[in-house]
Amino acid sequence: MRLIIHRNYEDASRWAAAYIAGRINEFKRKCGRPFVLGLPTGSSPLGIYREFIKLYQEKKLSFERVHTFNMDEYLGLSADHPQSYRRFMMENLFNHIDINLAHVHILDGMTKDPEEECRRYEEAIAAEGGIELFLGGMGSDGHIAFNEPGSSLRSRTRVKTLTGETRIANARFFGGDPSNVPSTALTVGVGTVMDANEVLILVSGQGKAHALRAVVEEGLNHLWTLSCLQMHPRAIIVCDEDAAGELRMRTVRYFRDIEKETLGMFSGKPCGGN
């Protein structure tokens, strides 16, 4: 695992966006197939998405050869609902870049058969040859996507009941009332994320510091589902100083020492593989 600590959220987002853009551009030059990118929603990736749009406008990045799979969607929300994750992605990224919407994959929150929808999603990922890089954020309880504490570390895309804590955290998007937040969602599993050739997680703010310490410094634990990254051969956590605030000083010194020589280097192989 790589841990890269930046001064603030803006610097962390800028580095992460530049890193992913570099991977996409390198892949385009060296590989004969589309770059498959896993994407999250929520507040964490917004800085990265703004940087993606800027890079596209500056003609430094194209999404013509990028196929995407989003992590999750609320069950029971239509694609045009103000708080659906499809609408989030359209408003915050897809409407502003040159991606072919036929290559955008987002779970259907209005499906009549959720289990079939989840099975189909896993098959669609496999049909694309797997995900090259999965971008994600981390919840304040250390979860990834909607794989909340207690989720199996081998889980696949499935229906997930949301905890009260998650509904309270997301209530700000639903008029401040947790009861307005859907109680279930469709989400990729921990195992789905771990199958990606590379995983990059952005973590920011003091509210994530306790969870980040557990994920980085404690053992593999399904109560901190992002701790799964300890088992991934190419995982990067990019964080700001506030999120790193509870890490041991020797942990911070260690990662800063090894990363000062490698911040400009790619850790993923250009055409995937282990």
Side-chain angles (χ1 to χ4, degrees):
M1 178 195 296
R2 295 175 66 186
L3 176 66
I4 298 174
I5 304 170
H6 288 273
R7 183 169 54 90
N8 53 39
Y9 171 77
E10 290 74 21
D11 288 350
S13 297
R14 192 175 301 113
W15 187 93
Y19 178 86
I20 297 170
R23 290 279 284 110
I24 291 171
N25 289 335
E26 181 188 37
F27 200 91
K28 180 180 180 180
R29 289 193 301 270
K30 297 184 177 181
C31 308
R33 55 189 173 85
F35 189 96
V36 184
L37 178 64
L39 294 173
T41 53
S43 57
S44 292
L46 286 175
I48 295 175
Y49 293 164
R50 287 192 290 268
E51 289 295 320
F52 280 166
I53 294 167
K54 180 180 177 183
L55 290 168
Y56 164 69
Q57 292 172 340
E58 294 173 349
K59 301 187 184 305
K60 297 177 181 178
L61 177 63
S62 172
F63 290 84
E64 287 183 326
R65 296 278 295 165
V66 176
H67 294 192
T68 66
F69 285 86
N70 262 77
M71 282 188 162
D72 40 32
E73 179 60 282
Y74 288 114
L75 193 58
L77 294 193
S78 62
D80 60 354
H81 188 282
Q83 298 307 328
S84 78
Y85 287 161
R86 178 176 288 275
R87 183 160 172 176
F88 175 98
M89 293 304 303
M90 296 301 298
E91 293 180 351
N92 290 288
L93 182 61
F94 296 150
N95 283 341
H96 310 285
I97 58 176
D98 60 343
I99 196 165
N100 183 339
L101 294 182
H103 298 154
V104 168
H105 302 82
I106 302 177
L107 287 153
D108 180 7
M110 295 301 290
T111 179
K112 301 297 184 182
D113 189 341
E115 291 186 3
E116 174 62 19
E117 173 69 5
C118 294
R119 185 192 63 79
R120 181 199 63 78
Y121 208 64
E122 288 280 343
E123 290 180 350
I125 292 173
E128 293 276 6
I131 292 173
E132 182 63 27
L133 187 150
F134 226 133
L135 169 65
M138 182 189 74
S140 59
D141 56 5
H143 74 257
I144 176 73
F146 275 129
N147 296 289
E148 298 183 317
S151 295
S152 168
L153 299 184
R154 299 185 66 181
S155 57
R156 313 303 302 187
T157 303
R158 67 203 189 285
V159 180
K160 188 72 176 64
T161 300
L162 305 184
T163 66
E165 182 176 346
T166 292
R167 297 177 74 189
I168 290 171
N170 290 348
R172 66 189 187 277
F173 304 116
F174 291 84
D177 186 352
S179 67
N180 290 333
V181 181
S183 60
T184 54
L186 304 175
T187 182
V188 297
V190 178
T192 313
V193 175
M194 289 289 284
D195 279 351
N197 284 321
E198 188 169 12
V199 181
L200 189 153
I201 303 296
L202 182 68
V203 184
S204 67
Q206 292 179 342
K208 306 287 183 73
H210 182 68
L212 185 62
R213 181 187 61 77
V215 165
V216 173
E217 296 185 340
E218 296 181 7
L220 192 67
N221 191 332
H222 69 161
L223 295 179
W224 307 94
T225 54
L226 192 62
S227 66
C228 66
L229 293 190
Q230 296 177 24
M231 301 294 291
H232 198 286
R234 288 195 297 277
I236 306 174
I237 296 177
V238 185
C239 71
D240 59 16
E241 290 183 350
D242 285 343
E246 293 193 23
L247 295 173
R248 297 183 181 95
M249 184 57 66
R250 65 180 182 181
T251 300
V252 172
R253 284 201 302 264
Y254 170 76
F255 281 108
R256 279 186 162 155
D257 182 57
I258 63 173
E259 289 298 341
K260 67 184 179 183
E261 301 295 335
T262 61
L263 281 176
M265 298 172 59
F266 295 156
S267 67
K269 296 184 179 181
C271 294
N274 295 317

